[in-house]
Amino acid sequence: MSVLAVLDPAVAVAHAVVAAVAHLVPTALAIVLFTVAVRLALHPLARAAARGERARARLAPKVAALQRKHRDRPERLREALAEMYRKEQVSPFAGCLPVLVQIPFFSVMYRLFTTPNDLLDHTLFGVPLGLHVTGAQGAGQWAVFGVLFAGLAAVGVVNFRRARRTAAAAAATAQPARQPGAGLLPYLSFGSVLFAALVPVAAVLYLLTAGVWSAAERAWLYRDGTPVPAAAMMG
């Protein structure tokens, strides 16, 4: 029994909603619309995270100064940072909230699209929604997979470039030193492309829709040049 079986009640609800919408539009489009609806419902959290990130960017010089002042006293540094964030009414973890909230939704959608059900019997331009890329046959099916993977790669490039600009901006403004391995974070922008090779078309469609939404949402929320949190870049 899969550990994801605990999600089955939520999966049943998601299935019912997508199936109901699929009576009005093609099933592939129903998946897109359902994903957009959920991400729209989560948008207030993303806006709150953006406000928190702007506040943290404003406080970055103070954080760097405290790190220099207490570099040999880690406990005192933690206390000083906590006191500063408390006075400024800024949470150092707000940017992670949208990502954490999306995890259950992602898990439900993953369970829905990797467990045999009637939704996967429908097609996207002739390609069954339950088909994996390893099972593609013929030019038509390969073309559909090619477009989907190209879309995911394009979103990955956008996120990668934004992450690199964020890292450069952090270095230019003397923001706190990054954690070991932080230089690899931009490359995680392409993680969805690799993951898409393991899941059926329906899940790839979800990944692409969520990725495009996230990229557009970040571009809008951080249009003033505020650095995008590393965690949010993977959303």
Side-chain angles (χ1 to χ4, degrees):
M1 180 178 178
S2 171
V3 294
L4 293 180
V6 69
L7 298 173
D8 283 352
V11 172
V13 173
H15 177 277
V17 173
V18 175
V21 178
H23 281 95
L24 305 175
V25 299
T27 302
L29 180 56
I31 293 172
V32 171
L33 294 177
F34 180 68
T35 304
V36 169
V38 173
R39 295 305 299 269
L40 183 61
L42 296 176
H43 181 67
L45 291 177
R47 292 181 65 86
R51 289 194 297 270
E53 192 62 27
R54 291 188 183 93
R56 286 191 296 277
R58 174 175 54 83
L59 296 175
K62 293 183 179 181
V63 173
L66 288 174
Q67 288 181 326
R68 290 191 297 269
K69 181 179 179 180
H70 303 294
R71 60 179 177 271
D72 298 324
R73 295 180 294 173
E75 186 63 31
R76 183 68 187 94
L77 174 61
R78 286 192 291 271
E79 294 174 356
L81 289 174
E83 178 64 21
M84 183 195 67
Y85 284 125
R86 184 163 52 250
K87 287 183 177 180
E88 297 289 343
Q89 296 184 332
V90 174
S91 169
F93 307 110
C96 299
L97 185 57
V99 176
L100 294 176
V101 172
Q102 289 173 40
I103 291 175
F105 173 63
F106 171 80
S107 301
V108 168
M109 299 300 280
Y110 174 82
R111 178 73 171 170
L112 176 62
F113 297 140
T114 55
T115 302
N117 62 78
D118 58 310
L119 294 177
L120 303 183
D121 295 332
H122 295 265
T123 63
L124 172 65
F125 297 114
V127 179
L129 294 177
L131 184 69
H132 289 67
V133 65
T134 53
Q137 297 179 353
Q141 291 189 350
W142 279 111
V144 172
F145 275 107
V147 170
L148 292 175
F149 276 76
L152 287 172
V155 173
V157 169
V158 170
N159 290 337
F160 176 80
R161 290 178 175 176
R162 186 180 294 275
R164 293 291 294 270
R165 289 196 300 269
T166 298
T173 55
Q175 290 187 13
R178 295 179 299 172
Q179 296 297 320
L184 298 177
L185 285 177
Y187 294 94
L188 295 181
S189 302
F190 299 103
S192 60
V193 180
L194 299 177
F195 186 73
L198 306 175
V199 295
V201 172
V204 177
L205 191 58
Y206 157 73
L207 289 172
L208 179 57
T209 303
V212 171
W213 175 279
S214 295
E217 185 177 58
R218 287 191 292 269
W220 171 255
L221 292 176
Y222 297 93
R223 61 191 181 279
D224 60 353
T226 301
V228 181
M233 293 300 299
M234 310 305 133

